């Protein structure tokens, strides 16, 4: 960031799965708000709007040129605090301003109360899940169950138990979902650092909240229709926590007009939209336009494009990128 560049040259994504967006685009609005926090957005009239060069891998991008991304204006109660306040101020109450900035980067200020009530280390996980389920329309209730169940069951698993887990088969979508969440955890590290550490870094280290193989197991079980009791391995304490965390995520999503439904219900109402060749949609702040070309977000072509800050809006592959 000191040179105005940021890179992520690796990812685990299925180019044939049109229902899930690339992590490069899912978390771009968060990065844009971090750029605004660190570099300013040029709206005060005293400076030009900075541009950050992003070298992020996604299908169709050979990484010959960077994407030129501009900061996205933040919406934080009480206004955007400056870095001196976030990083150096030790006055009582400043930790609350730091948390406001962190949630502002994810555009989740309205979920502050719900997240504050969640115990560690699940607070950060819930923040990411709310963001992902608001951002990606094709995530369903079974996905949420798998994410929460694996996080709760992970607390009682030894390294040997995790290593000995056996999977019936490997599902590409589960691999990509796991990769998407882990990328979210690394994004959360960036945001937490930029905001002066309102949360403990240990709370979103992957070994505390996520294990890929365990998630894969819970994902396959949820797909087969396992009950919640079975997903949490008949543990009453986990079951209580499961319903608490699920309620936090679902209520926060409802505030953003996002209702999380079962995949079976989705299929009955959205024929042809689900699956490897579906036309999943997601929200973006990018101002890049391919209106009228009917191309999916995965087919945006190589880099060297400018991305302007803009309001949230939903896109689907049936309509292409549009203003």
């Amino acid at each position: 960031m000191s040179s105005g560049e940021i890179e992520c040259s690796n990812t685990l994504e299925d180019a044939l799965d049109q229902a899930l967006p690339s992590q490069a685009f899912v978390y771009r609005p968060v990065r844009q708000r971090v750029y605004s926090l660190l570099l300013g957005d040029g709206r005060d009239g005293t400076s030009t709007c900075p541009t950050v060069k992003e070298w992020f891998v996604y299908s169709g991008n050979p990484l010959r040129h960077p994407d030129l991304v501009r900061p996205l204006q933040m919406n934080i109660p009480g206004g955007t605090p400056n870095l001196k306040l976030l990083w150096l101020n030790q006055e009582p109450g400043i930790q609350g301003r730091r948390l406001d900035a962190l949630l502002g980067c994810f555009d989740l200020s309205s979920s502050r109360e719900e997240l504050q009530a969640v115990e560690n280390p699940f607070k950060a996980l819930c923040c990411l899940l709310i963001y992902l389920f608001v951002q990606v329309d094709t995530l369903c209730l079974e996905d949420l169950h798998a994410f929460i169940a694996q996080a709760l069951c992970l607390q009682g698993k030894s390294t040997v138990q995790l290593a000995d887990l056996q999977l019936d088969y490997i599902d590409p979508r589960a691999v990509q979902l796991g990769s998407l969440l882990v990328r979210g955890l690394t994004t959360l590290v960036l945001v937490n650092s930029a905001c002066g550490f309102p949360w403990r870094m240990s709370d979103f280290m992957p070994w505390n909240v996520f294990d890929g193989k365990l998630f894969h197991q819970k994902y396959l079980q949820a797909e087969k229709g396992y009950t919640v009791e079975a997903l949490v391995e008949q543990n009453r304490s986990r079951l209580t926590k499961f319903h608490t965390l699920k309620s936090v995520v679902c209520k926060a999503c409802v505030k953003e007009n996002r209702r999380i439904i079962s995949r079976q219900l989705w299929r009955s109402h959205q024929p042809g939209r689900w699956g490897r060749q579906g036309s999943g949609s997601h929200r973006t702040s990018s101002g890049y336009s391919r209106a009228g070309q009917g191309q999916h977000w995965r087919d945006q072509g190589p880099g060297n494009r400018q991305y302007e800050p803009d309001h949230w809006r939903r896109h689907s592959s049936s309509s292409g990128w549009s203003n």
Side-chain angles (χ1 to χ4, degrees):
M1 283 299 296
S2 60
S3 61
E5 296 190 45
I6 186 172
E7 67 91 18
C8 177
S9 57
N10 61 84
T11 187
L12 285 174
E13 297 175 6
D14 184 358
L16 298 179
D17 189 342
Q18 298 292 296
L20 288 176
S22 170
Q23 57 86 13
F25 301 119
V26 171
Y27 296 109
R28 174 167 281 164
V30 180
R31 298 193 301 273
Q32 286 179 281
R33 294 188 183 95
V34 172
Y35 304 156
S36 177
L37 196 63
L38 298 178
L39 306 174
D41 56 19
R43 293 176 185 265
D44 56 5
T46 61
S47 61
T48 58
C49 184
T51 300
V52 176
K53 296 178 180 179
E54 286 195 345
W55 298 87
F56 274 68
V57 65
Y58 50 85
S59 180
N61 182 12
L63 293 178
R64 295 194 186 98
H65 306 283
D67 290 335
L68 306 180
V69 181
R70 294 184 178 178
L72 184 63
Q73 188 176 28
M74 300 181 68
N75 182 21
I76 301 177
T80 303
N82 59 48
L83 295 182
K84 183 177 180 180
L85 182 72
L86 291 175
W87 293 358
L88 303 177
N89 196 305
Q90 300 299 322
E91 294 180 5
I94 193 60
Q95 201 69 353
R97 295 296 305 278
R98 292 179 178 125
L99 178 58
D100 287 338
L102 182 147
L103 295 179
C105 287
F106 286 94
D107 200 25
L108 293 178
S109 297
S110 62
S111 302
R112 191 184 199 279
E113 184 177 347
E114 289 87 346
L115 288 171
Q116 281 291 82
V118 177
E119 65 182 77
N120 293 324
F122 305 115
K123 191 176 299 183
L125 176 68
C126 284
C127 175
L128 275 183
L129 290 178
I130 294 167
Y131 178 80
L132 281 176
F133 276 80
V134 170
Q135 178 86 341
V136 185
D137 289 348
T138 51
L139 294 179
C140 64
L141 195 60
E142 288 80 4
D143 299 328
L144 179 61
H145 286 179
F147 277 125
I148 295 176
Q150 70 82 29
L152 292 171
C153 292
L154 178 61
Q155 309 300 310
K157 301 287 185 184
S158 68
T159 304
V160 174
Q161 287 175 311
L162 293 172
D164 289 341
L165 281 178
Q166 299 296 316
L167 302 175
D168 294 337
Y169 61 94
I170 303 299
D171 187 300
R173 187 172 184 274
V175 173
Q176 185 166 342
L177 284 179
S179 176
L180 190 61
L181 185 80
V182 172
R183 187 66 66 195
L185 292 173
T186 61
T187 302
L188 194 47
V189 170
L190 169 69
V191 175
N192 196 54
S193 301
C195 295
F197 301 96
W199 285 343
R200 298 180 307 182
M201 293 291 252
S202 60
D203 289 339
F204 34 89
M205 293 298 103
W207 48 85
N208 285 330
V209 293
F210 185 80
D211 179 83
K213 189 187 288 188
L214 183 59
F215 169 72
H216 215 116
Q217 181 191 66
K218 299 304 177 184
Y219 176 89
L220 296 177
Q221 291 174 349
E223 283 287 286
K224 294 175 182 177
Y226 277 40
T227 64
V228 172
E229 290 79 4
L231 289 177
V232 297
E233 301 171 3
Q234 310 299 331
N235 184 295
R236 289 188 177 182
S237 175
R238 290 177 194 159
L239 182 62
T240 300
K241 292 179 181 179
F242 178 96
H243 287 300
T244 298
L245 298 181
K246 177 183 175 181
S247 176
V248 167
V249 174
C250 289
K251 286 181 179 179
C253 287
V254 167
K255 287 184 178 181
E256 302 295 331
N257 298 316
R258 169 71 157 100
R259 180 169 167 257
I260 305 173
I261 62 175
S262 168
R263 180 168 304 180
Q264 296 302 320
L265 185 60
W266 182 290
R267 283 171 174 158
S268 66
H269 287 82
Q270 302 284 344
R273 189 177 178 188
W274 198 275
R276 298 177 65 83
Q277 298 299 329
S279 57
S281 64
H282 72 292
R283 298 183 178 191
T284 179
S285 63
S286 164
Y288 179 65
S289 173
R290 297 193 75 116
Q293 297 186 31
Q295 287 189 263
H296 196 267
W297 52 264
R298 284 192 182 278
D299 303 314
Q300 295 184 68
N304 203 24
R305 297 181 297 273
Q306 288 204 9
Y307 289 82
E308 304 283 349
D310 204 343
H311 296 295
W312 286 99
R313 53 185 180 266
R314 294 177 185 264
H315 295 278
S316 69
S317 63
S318 59
S319 60
W321 291 84
S322 62
N323 286 323

